[in-house]
Amino acid sequence: MFEIKDLHVNISEVEKKIISGINLKINPGEVHAIMGPNGSGKSTLSYTLSGKEGYEIEKGDIELDGESILDDEPDERAAKGIFLAFQYPIEIPGVGNLSFIRTALNSQRKFNGKDELNPAEFLKILREKADFLNVDMEMLKRPLNVGFSGGEKKRNEILQMALLEPRFCILDETDSGLDVDAMKQVSKGVNFLRSENRSFLIITHYQRLLNYIKPDFVHIMAKGKIIKTGGPELALEVENQGYTHLLN
Amino acid sequence: MSELKLEAKQGIDQQTINSVKSLGESYKYGFTTDIDMEYAPKGLSEEIVKLISKKNDEPDWMLNWRLEAYKRWVKMDEPNWPMLNYKGIDYNDQYYYAKPKSLEKKPKSLDEVEPALLETYAKLGIPLKEQEFLAGVIGAENNMDTKPKKVAVDAVFDSVSVGTTFKDELEKLGIIFCSISEAIKLYPDLVKKYIGTVVPRTDNYFATLNSAVFSDGSFVYIPEGVKCPMELSTYFRINAENTGQFERTLIIADKKSYVSYLEGCTAPMRDTHQLHAAVVELVVLDEASIKYSTVQNWYPGDENGKGGIYNFVTKRADCRGVNSKVMWTQIETGSAVTWKYPSCILRGDNSQGEFYSVAIANNYQQADTGTKMIHLGKGTRSRIVSKGISAGKAQNTYRGLVNIHPKAANSRNFTQCDSLLIGNKCGAHTVPYIENKNNSSRTEHEATTSKIDDDQLFYCLQRGINEEDAVALIINGFCKEVLQALPMEFALEAQKLVAISLEGSVG
Ligand SMILES: Nc1ncnc2c1ncn2[C@@H]1O[C@H](COP(=O)(O)OP(=O)(O)O)[C@@H](O)[C@H]1O
Ligand SMILES: [Mg+2]
């Protein structure tokens, strides 16, 4: 179980409070969606959960199975099963996509006391998942995210998620900038990964993604707070009426 | 920037610095070999030059060649134009010749080599036995070629060569691979014809010094039409204290021949600086090509700048023949001070020169390195790819000259210089000199300076890769183009070396 308790976060660089008291409980198997206007702190929340430097936790706690992960470095959190699909996946020149994913997978396996996969074993698993997600070998040989189209970058995030098999997946606006076909592919990947012991936090701007990925709960976030929680119907309400009526 | 912001930024920089901390701490080759040595008396004089020549049992022409260089050298001044700051070298307070006593007579086979020496090379991972290497392959999943490969080795210990492997097999093809001291005796005509014709005795302070006192080094001759079937390599090891190493390498690729050659260098950790002044001459005839790779890992000194090798090297290739080609690749991770500009004289029409370099400078290391491409022939091409990485308080300078002479019609140069800075106390400098005197010829220069990006680092961490590995990954990516230019057998070794150079405590 993943739990956020009365979380308050400042961005150190600008000494600005961005998150002002968020509570959220996510049980295994659940899919939670967070919607909210630009600048409400959704990405800040995702970075804070994954442990990025520069996000100062003023108050509150983040717990995985009842244990605080605040002292864990980002790589430790990742190995414990927290995965963030980035809103803007980062390009790393000269680092092959495939080598990168293998390094990541083996680092996590090592952390969890499992044997590292040799290239052949890795390639077999990779092929399977890449096929399913329509990622071709050519894309895997290119440098990580360099020159990838928006859709390729997002599919590559989902591919990494499929290989790393995290327990808690955060998707930060994975749908933005995607056409309908690309969005369907991404959703197919996510739905395939849904299982009773894996949970999702899906940050999105638009309701349409939630037509493909059915959430159990929808939260509306504004000015660093969750201002309303409901079921899928809440997303439709936002779609039809916008946020303004909720903000007052 | 607000104070808090500044602090956060510095904190991040500091972490990165820590994670790439101290080449010195992680220097894996810093051990010393305890062994009986024979030294020439300390200091430099005509007598010492004569003594070195005598020790090598040289003919008179060689001795006279040395003496002329010496006479010239005493009148020369040390260059002061590089962007280097080091204590003056006392040329009379070091040894110019040091030789393991057991090598008084050159061993005929491995069985005759002193065990302590064999152990040294075993520890360094250098095969003195004629064995096949399992090729190290970057990104094994992309390339399943792991066929064992042969690598011939010449091992130079302080002033002398310990032995050369695969000689017989190479001889069958007419290839000569031996120490230069042997070559002077066995192939005097070849040596006489080519030595000093690429780097003249009068060339520069350190080359002239080398011409007077060089003690050993490697000699390679590839006959016409022969493609050398294995990598040739020389490993230089400085062991003795207060001793300079002055080796000289001469490689001749006759018409339509090919050879790939690699040199590696290591030295023990010592508090005092030691001088290494080498000369490498490459002669490339019609349609021939030489690929020359260096993995330079001399002791860089500790994190306070104490000790380390002063590395002053003159390397030059003369592409005399039409369509000849030279490719220099260097991975420079060691030495306290590096002064080195592997160059190409593109004399033959349509000849080509390439220079791929990674120079890493950490702590108080200083590197002033680059290349010279001298375009003399028509249709000559050169390509320069330089990657400089600076960390700690290090200074890293790329100094390059591209010179296109009036007769070098339709020639091209492309230069790419990228610098990566880690932390804010180091420096990167790019000093390109471009002289194009022919209207039909073109030069292109691109330069970038970047820092290890926090977002890149976080992306790696978020995938479960620890900080140290993440930094190594990003840096290896930065150097990829150069690492790929190395022979397959050494690419993995070099990739690891880059990682080790940047290994250290995290955060
Ligand atoms: N590194 C940063 N420096 C300064 N302000 C930031 C930084 N990151 C986010 N912010 C500010 O924090 C607020 C929330 O941003 P963000 O979490 O990206 O919102 P969302 O993802 O909901 O659009 C915005 O006002 C944004 O300008
Ligand atoms: Mg956002």
Side-chain angles (χ1 to χ4, degrees):
Chain A
M1 190 179 65
F2 196 80
E3 196 168 357
I4 302 168
K5 289 181 170 167
D6 191 28
L7 191 66
H8 294 249
V9 180
N10 297 323
I11 292 186
S12 329
E13 212 174 348
V14 288
E15 301 170 60
K16 193 170 147 194
K17 184 150 179 171
I18 307 293
I19 306 252
S20 335
I22 285 189
N23 288 289
L24 201 56
K25 212 184 231 180
I26 300 177
N27 289 306
E30 288 178 356
V31 175
H32 290 236
I34 292 191
M35 300 180 75
N38 272 331
S40 52
K42 304 184 297 295
S43 292
T44 302
L45 179 65
S46 68
Y47 288 142
T48 308
L49 299 181
S50 49
K52 191 175 183 185
E53 190 121 11
Y55 296 83
E56 182 211 337
I57 294 176
E58 186 191 287
K59 205 175 141 194
D61 205 354
I62 305 166
E63 290 177 0
L64 191 61
D65 297 332
E67 272 181 39
S68 172
I69 57 164
L70 291 189
D71 288 338
D72 291 339
E73 294 295 325
D75 52 322
E76 294 167 333
R77 296 188 197 191
K80 286 184 177 176
I82 296 174
F83 180 91
L84 169 62
F86 285 64
Q87 182 171 1
Y88 305 107
I90 306 295
E91 303 183 358
I92 308 186
V95 175
N97 194 11
L98 200 147
S99 312
F100 175 78
I101 300 177
R102 185 157 74 93
T103 307
L105 182 58
N106 279 335
S107 301
Q108 293 202 13
R109 291 180 68 94
K110 205 166 142 194
F111 181 91
N112 291 313
K114 292 190 207 153
D115 285 343
E116 296 185 23
L117 295 179
N118 68 36
E121 292 166 328
F122 171 73
L123 211 57
K124 191 166 164 279
I125 303 173
L126 178 73
R127 281 230 167 88
E128 249 167 53
K129 309 215 160 162
D131 280 351
F132 183 76
L133 293 166
N134 266 334
V135 171
D136 58 20
M137 267 333 250
E138 191 265 335
M139 199 172 121
L140 291 165
K141 283 180 182 162
R142 275 150 64 188
L144 181 65
N145 292 325
V146 177
F148 283 27
S149 71
E152 284 176 330
K153 282 185 181 168
K154 297 296 172 76
R155 260 186 290 149
N156 198 40
E157 294 290 287
I158 303 300
L159 174 66
Q160 294 178 53
M161 188 165 90
L163 278 154
L164 296 171
E165 303 187 317
R167 297 171 49 201
F168 182 63
C169 312
I170 308 163
L171 279 71
D172 190 358
E173 298 210 24
T174 299
D175 55 329
S176 57
L178 295 188
D179 59 28
V180 175
D181 285 339
M183 194 166 66
K184 278 186 186 164
Q185 262 170 6
V186 164
S187 310
K188 181 176 139 186
V190 172
N191 287 327
F192 178 76
L193 287 171
R194 280 179 83 155
S195 80
E196 58 190 29
N197 40 30
R198 179 171 295 134
S199 45
F200 291 83
L201 184 63
I202 296 180
I203 296 169
T204 178
H205 214 65
Y206 305 103
Q207 183 272 335
R208 61 170 192 173
L209 178 70
L210 305 179
N211 288 335
Y212 300 98
I213 306 170
K214 270 255 157 302
D216 300 302
F217 299 94
V218 174
H219 311 278
I220 307 297
M221 187 163 167
K223 297 197 183 119
K225 281 189 177 136
I226 288 175
I227 54 168
K228 191 162 182 188
T229 292
E233 74 290 346
L234 183 56
L236 280 168
E237 185 187 324
V238 168
E239 177 79 0
N240 295 331
Q241 303 174 37
Y243 292 109
T244 12
H245 74 287
L246 294 170
L247 294 180
N248 307 312
Chain B
M1 238 193 260
S2 77
E3 216 161 284
L4 198 81
K5 187 170 158 184
L6 199 69
E7 214 170 275
K9 187 78 202 98
Q10 279 169 355
I12 292 163
D13 282 345
Q14 189 52 47
Q15 264 201 355
T16 322
I17 294 166
N18 287 346
S19 73
V20 294
K21 209 175 130 217
S22 176
L23 275 168
E25 266 173 38
S26 51
Y27 190 71
K28 302 271 193 284
Y29 310 97
F31 63 91
T32 42
T33 306
D34 195 7
I35 201 171
D36 267 351
M37 297 293 290
E38 176 199 344
Y39 291 93
K42 238 185 198 175
L44 185 50
S45 64
E46 216 172 281
E47 293 317 304
I48 292 292
V49 176
K50 284 180 183 161
L51 186 103
I52 293 168
S53 181
K54 191 158 172 250
K55 285 279 169 203
N56 285 352
D57 205 8
E58 282 173 358
D60 283 347
W61 65 266
M62 194 70 244
L63 172 62
N64 291 333
W65 196 87
R66 286 173 180 277
L67 287 172
E68 271 176 47
Y70 177 71
K71 281 183 197 130
R72 171 96 189 187
W73 181 77
V74 290
K75 293 192 203 120
M76 293 169 96
D77 292 317
E78 226 175 288
N80 58 10
W81 48 263
M83 236 181 252
L84 301 172
N85 182 5
Y86 59 93
K87 236 176 39 223
I89 300 165
D90 184 349
Y91 291 89
N92 278 320
D93 192 29
Q94 60 177 341
Y95 298 104
Y96 287 80
Y97 190 84
K99 172 181 185 174
K101 282 196 176 142
S102 66
L103 294 179
E104 188 52 44
K105 266 225 176 79
K106 184 145 189 177
K108 293 212 166 43
S109 74
L110 271 188
D111 306 335
E112 292 176 21
V113 176
E114 190 178 355
L117 279 175
L118 292 178
E119 253 167 55
T120 301
Y121 286 96
K123 260 184 171 167
L124 295 171
I126 296 162
L128 288 189
K129 275 200 205 114
E130 297 194 349
Q131 67 199 33
E132 295 191 332
F133 249 51
L134 199 62
V137 187
I138 285 187
E141 61 275 358
N142 288 341
N143 191 333
M144 294 298 180
D145 173 22
T146 49
K147 273 199 311 268
K149 300 237 167 63
K150 284 177 183 167
V151 177
V153 173
D154 183 22
V156 176
F157 190 88
D158 289 326
S159 305
V160 291
S161 166
V162 176
T164 312
T165 63
F166 286 109
K167 256 169 132 167
D168 296 346
E169 194 173 331
L170 292 166
E171 234 163 59
K172 284 184 197 134
L173 297 165
I175 295 171
I176 303 170
F177 179 39
C178 63
S179 69
I180 198 151
S181 56
E182 276 173 286
I184 290 165
K185 281 175 277 185
L186 299 176
Y187 313 100
D189 294 344
L190 272 177
V191 177
K192 227 191 267 185
K193 184 169 173 191
Y194 291 107
I195 194 169
T197 63
V198 184
V199 179
R201 272 175 302 182
T202 53
D203 193 81
N204 69 70
Y205 189 78
F206 298 107
T208 305
L209 173 63
N210 174 287
S211 301
V213 301
F214 75 90
S215 49
D216 219 334
S218 296
F219 177 82
V220 176
Y221 174 77
I222 314 287
E224 186 169 340
V226 173
K227 302 229 169 319
C228 185
M230 62 181 91
E231 297 288 331
L232 304 186
S233 66
T234 304
Y235 282 91
F236 296 101
R237 174 75 177 167
I238 296 180
N239 184 61
E241 202 158 3
N242 292 324
T243 301
Q245 193 179 55
F246 306 91
E247 87 270 0
R248 193 159 186 119
T249 296
L250 175 58
I251 301 179
I252 302 136
D254 213 324
K255 292 174 186 169
K256 297 193 168 147
S257 69
Y258 166 81
V259 64
S260 172
Y261 176 94
L262 180 122
E263 94 187 349
C265 337
T266 59
M269 294 191 196
R270 296 195 195 284
D271 293 351
T272 50
H273 295 288
Q274 276 175 285
L275 178 63
H276 171 254
V279 169
V280 174
E281 297 180 278
L282 310 184
V283 178
V284 203
L285 302 181
D286 289 357
E287 321 263 335
S289 65
I290 298 180
K291 184 179 161 102
Y292 190 108
S293 313
T294 303
V295 177
Q296 187 265 107
N297 189 18
W298 294 120
Y299 178 53
D302 71 8
E303 67 272 25
N304 300 312
K306 206 157 186 223
I309 301 289
Y310 287 159
N311 190 34
F312 299 98
V313 173
T314 306
K315 289 182 167 170
R316 196 171 301 153
D318 190 351
C319 290
R320 287 185 194 171
V322 296
N323 297 320
S324 57
K325 185 175 174 186
V326 159
M327 180 170 161
W328 294 105
T329 305
Q330 57 173 28
I331 310 295
E332 303 281 321
T333 64
S335 297
V337 172
T338 293
W339 179 97
K340 180 184 172 192
Y341 317 90
S343 307
C344 301
I345 301 169
L346 303 171
R347 202 184 296 278
D349 287 348
N350 301 315
S351 57
Q352 284 181 51
E354 293 178 3
F355 173 76
Y356 294 90
S357 168
V358 170
I360 298 179
N362 197 354
N363 297 321
Y364 285 88
Q365 276 181 285
Q366 303 174 65
D368 193 308
T369 183
T371 184
K372 288 184 246 175
M373 296 289 176
I374 315 290
H375 293 252
L376 302 175
K378 294 187 187 67
T380 48
R381 304 246 177 292
S382 63
R383 182 181 171 82
I384 299 170
V385 177
S386 160
K387 307 274 179 177
I389 301 166
S390 324
K393 294 183 175 140
Q395 295 297 326
N396 209 331
T397 302
Y398 167 80
R399 188 184 299 277
L401 170 69
V402 175
N403 189 322
I404 300 186
H405 277 235
K407 285 184 184 155
N410 296 314
S411 295
R412 298 274 177 276
N413 161 265
F414 173 75
T415 301
Q416 169 89 46
C417 287
D418 298 320
S419 307
L420 188 69
L421 297 174
I422 297 168
N424 51 14
K425 294 199 180 81
C426 54
H429 317 276
T430 303
V431 192
Y433 303 93
I434 300 168
E435 297 160 12
N436 183 356
K437 301 205 180 87
N438 185 299
N439 286 335
S440 64
S441 296
R442 298 273 168 278
T443 63
E444 251 182 278
H445 180 96
E446 287 173 14
T448 65
T449 300
S450 52
K451 291 201 150 216
I452 285 209
D453 187 84
D454 295 334
D455 287 331
Q456 289 179 339
L457 212 49
F458 176 64
Y459 191 80
C460 296
L461 291 174
Q462 209 300 307
R463 296 302 183 248
I465 301 168
N466 69 42
E467 184 156 348
E468 205 170 283
D469 291 351
V471 169
L473 198 72
I474 294 167
I475 286 176
N476 271 311
F478 175 76
C479 311
K480 181 77 160 229
E481 219 180 326
V482 176
L483 293 174
Q484 275 177 336
L486 284 173
M488 198 69 111
E489 288 84 337
F490 303 102
L492 191 66
E493 190 187 339
Q495 201 177 12
K496 275 191 203 141
L497 180 62
V498 169
I500 288 169
S501 305
L502 301 163
E503 197 172 82
S505 52
V506 174

PDB file of all heavy atoms in Angstrom, chain B residues 131-142:
ATOM      1  N   GLN B 131      48.698 -15.652 -25.822  1.00  0.00           N
ATOM      2  CA  GLN B 131      47.367 -16.187 -25.615  1.00  0.00           C
ATOM      3  C   GLN B 131      46.357 -15.381 -26.398  1.00  0.00           C
ATOM      4  O   GLN B 131      46.629 -14.272 -26.835  1.00  0.00           O
ATOM      5  CB  GLN B 131      47.016 -16.127 -24.127  1.00  0.00           C
ATOM      6  CG  GLN B 131      46.880 -14.700 -23.642  1.00  0.00           C
ATOM      7  CD  GLN B 131      46.984 -14.614 -22.121  1.00  0.00           C
ATOM      8  OE1 GLN B 131      47.679 -15.367 -21.485  1.00  0.00           O
ATOM      9  NE2 GLN B 131      46.279 -13.655 -21.558  1.00  0.00           N
ATOM     10  N   GLU B 132      45.196 -15.952 -26.536  1.00  0.00           N
ATOM     11  CA  GLU B 132      44.146 -15.220 -27.239  1.00  0.00           C
ATOM     12  C   GLU B 132      43.331 -14.437 -26.234  1.00  0.00           C
ATOM     13  O   GLU B 132      43.082 -14.880 -25.128  1.00  0.00           O
ATOM     14  CB  GLU B 132      43.283 -16.196 -28.026  1.00  0.00           C
ATOM     15  CG  GLU B 132      44.094 -16.871 -29.127  1.00  0.00           C
ATOM     16  CD  GLU B 132      43.237 -17.634 -30.103  1.00  0.00           C
ATOM     17  OE1 GLU B 132      42.168 -18.097 -29.700  1.00  0.00           O
ATOM     18  OE2 GLU B 132      43.658 -17.749 -31.264  1.00  0.00           O
ATOM     19  N   PHE B 133      42.967 -13.271 -26.633  1.00  0.00           N
ATOM     20  CA  PHE B 133      42.175 -12.364 -25.812  1.00  0.00           C
ATOM     21  C   PHE B 133      40.716 -12.658 -26.064  1.00  0.00           C
ATOM     22  O   PHE B 133      40.337 -12.867 -27.201  1.00  0.00           O
ATOM     23  CB  PHE B 133      42.394 -10.952 -26.347  1.00  0.00           C
ATOM     24  CG  PHE B 133      43.162 -10.064 -25.464  1.00  0.00           C
ATOM     25  CD1 PHE B 133      44.379 -10.452 -24.938  1.00  0.00           C
ATOM     26  CD2 PHE B 133      42.675  -8.791 -25.195  1.00  0.00           C
ATOM     27  CE1 PHE B 133      45.091  -9.583 -24.151  1.00  0.00           C
ATOM     28  CE2 PHE B 133      43.391  -7.925 -24.410  1.00  0.00           C
ATOM     29  CZ  PHE B 133      44.610  -8.326 -23.885  1.00  0.00           C
ATOM     30  N   LEU B 134      39.919 -12.609 -25.048  1.00  0.00           N
ATOM     31  CA  LEU B 134      38.485 -12.610 -25.327  1.00  0.00           C
ATOM     32  C   LEU B 134      38.109 -11.156 -25.586  1.00  0.00           C
ATOM     33  O   LEU B 134      38.306 -10.297 -24.740  1.00  0.00           O
ATOM     34  CB  LEU B 134      37.717 -13.179 -24.137  1.00  0.00           C
ATOM     35  CG  LEU B 134      36.318 -13.632 -24.515  1.00  0.00           C
ATOM     36  CD1 LEU B 134      36.369 -14.751 -25.549  1.00  0.00           C
ATOM     37  CD2 LEU B 134      35.568 -14.100 -23.293  1.00  0.00           C
ATOM     38  N   ALA B 135      37.607 -10.921 -26.759  1.00  0.00           N
ATOM     39  CA  ALA B 135      37.352  -9.526 -27.132  1.00  0.00           C
ATOM     40  C   ALA B 135      36.339  -8.895 -26.195  1.00  0.00           C
ATOM     41  O   ALA B 135      35.315  -9.479 -25.889  1.00  0.00           O
ATOM     42  CB  ALA B 135      36.846  -9.464 -28.557  1.00  0.00           C
ATOM     43  N   GLY B 136      36.650  -7.723 -25.743  1.00  0.00           N
ATOM     44  CA  GLY B 136      35.690  -6.967 -24.934  1.00  0.00           C
ATOM     45  C   GLY B 136      34.796  -6.214 -25.896  1.00  0.00           C
ATOM     46  O   GLY B 136      35.254  -5.558 -26.804  1.00  0.00           O
ATOM     47  N   VAL B 137      33.523  -6.335 -25.701  1.00  0.00           N
ATOM     48  CA  VAL B 137      32.613  -5.750 -26.676  1.00  0.00           C
ATOM     49  C   VAL B 137      31.679  -4.767 -26.003  1.00  0.00           C
ATOM     50  O   VAL B 137      30.992  -5.099 -25.050  1.00  0.00           O
ATOM     51  CB  VAL B 137      31.787  -6.848 -27.359  1.00  0.00           C
ATOM     52  CG1 VAL B 137      30.967  -6.241 -28.482  1.00  0.00           C
ATOM     53  CG2 VAL B 137      32.695  -7.926 -27.896  1.00  0.00           C
ATOM     54  N   ILE B 138      31.656  -3.572 -26.506  1.00  0.00           N
ATOM     55  CA  ILE B 138      30.722  -2.581 -25.992  1.00  0.00           C
ATOM     56  C   ILE B 138      29.318  -2.989 -26.415  1.00  0.00           C
ATOM     57  O   ILE B 138      29.090  -3.328 -27.565  1.00  0.00           O
ATOM     58  CB  ILE B 138      31.021  -1.189 -26.576  1.00  0.00           C
ATOM     59  CG1 ILE B 138      32.255  -0.633 -25.915  1.00  0.00           C
ATOM     60  CG2 ILE B 138      29.844  -0.246 -26.382  1.00  0.00           C
ATOM     61  CD1 ILE B 138      32.550   0.781 -26.280  1.00  0.00           C
ATOM     62  N   GLY B 139      28.391  -2.945 -25.492  1.00  0.00           N
ATOM     63  CA  GLY B 139      26.995  -3.227 -25.815  1.00  0.00           C
ATOM     64  C   GLY B 139      26.868  -4.592 -26.455  1.00  0.00           C
ATOM     65  O   GLY B 139      26.445  -4.731 -27.595  1.00  0.00           O
ATOM     66  N   ALA B 140      27.278  -5.628 -25.725  1.00  0.00           N
ATOM     67  CA  ALA B 140      27.367  -6.973 -26.271  1.00  0.00           C
ATOM     68  C   ALA B 140      26.090  -7.376 -27.008  1.00  0.00           C
ATOM     69  O   ALA B 140      26.133  -8.115 -27.978  1.00  0.00           O
ATOM     70  CB  ALA B 140      27.651  -7.961 -25.161  1.00  0.00           C
ATOM     71  N   GLU B 141      24.969  -6.819 -26.560  1.00  0.00           N
ATOM     72  CA  GLU B 141      23.711  -7.247 -27.167  1.00  0.00           C
ATOM     73  C   GLU B 141      23.592  -6.793 -28.612  1.00  0.00           C
ATOM     74  O   GLU B 141      22.872  -7.364 -29.403  1.00  0.00           O
ATOM     75  CB  GLU B 141      22.513  -6.755 -26.341  1.00  0.00           C
ATOM     76  CG  GLU B 141      22.416  -5.252 -26.216  1.00  0.00           C
ATOM     77  CD  GLU B 141      23.260  -4.722 -25.060  1.00  0.00           C
ATOM     78  OE1 GLU B 141      23.884  -5.525 -24.341  1.00  0.00           O
ATOM     79  OE2 GLU B 141      23.301  -3.511 -24.890  1.00  0.00           O
ATOM     80  N   ASN B 142      24.359  -5.735 -28.958  1.00  0.00           N
ATOM     81  CA  ASN B 142      24.291  -5.260 -30.335  1.00  0.00           C
ATOM     82  C   ASN B 142      25.282  -6.000 -31.213  1.00  0.00           C
ATOM     83  O   ASN B 142      25.194  -5.996 -32.414  1.00  0.00           O
ATOM     84  CB  ASN B 142      24.622  -3.763 -30.401  1.00  0.00           C
ATOM     85  CG  ASN B 142      23.496  -2.940 -29.833  1.00  0.00           C
ATOM     86  OD1 ASN B 142      22.374  -3.427 -29.731  1.00  0.00           O
ATOM     87  ND2 ASN B 142      23.793  -1.720 -29.455  1.00  0.00           N
TER      88      ASN B 142
END
